[in-house]
Amino acid sequence: INHLPNRVEVMKHHYENRWNQILNILQEDGKTAFQISQIIYGKALPLERKMSVFLQTITNLIYLHSIDKVVMKQQDGIHYYYAGLENL
């Protein structure tokens, strides 16, 4: 990879923006990972792309949960995500 330090900074900025986007989405109320992925990426995607962005969203939610920025609650077998208490 050419200019690795620059690429690392670009990727860091991208993920910080995505995490903030997810936290902003969760300010209103709880949502599923699928609902969050549709808000961010849209609904009119090919199936392969829907799966890819859904998995990216889950990965981001797991990370945000690990640093206590997101709370996950299960209701009727469905996982809902909420902004963590410090984000409310």
Side-chain angles (χ1 to χ4, degrees):
I1 298 176
N2 294 329
H3 310 288
L4 182 59
N6 184 47
R7 181 67 180 147
V8 168
E9 285 303 312
V10 167
M11 294 302 298
K12 243 175 90 173
H13 183 71
H14 166 78
Y15 281 105
E16 288 170 353
N17 285 339
R18 180 69 71 224
W19 298 329
N20 286 327
Q21 187 178 19
I22 290 170
L23 293 173
N24 286 332
I25 289 168
L26 295 176
Q27 292 301 314
E28 297 173 20
D29 57 3
K31 294 190 175 34
T32 66
F34 188 69
Q35 289 170 323
I36 295 166
S37 69
Q38 286 187 324
I39 292 168
I40 293 172
Y41 300 100
K43 295 180 182 181
L45 298 172
L47 180 59
E48 299 83 15
R49 184 75 177 126
K50 281 183 184 179
M51 292 303 297
S52 174
V53 299
F54 176 63
L55 293 173
Q56 289 174 37
T57 302
I58 289 173
T59 302
N60 285 317
L61 288 166
I62 290 169
Y63 171 72
L64 291 170
H65 184 262
S66 77
I67 61 170
D68 297 324
K69 297 287 185 180
V70 166
V71 175
M72 188 272 299
K73 295 181 182 179
Q74 188 174 354
Q75 181 180 351
D76 299 324
I78 300 172
H79 293 210
Y80 292 90
Y81 295 89
Y82 300 83
L85 295 177
E86 71 278 350
N87 296 311
L88 296 176

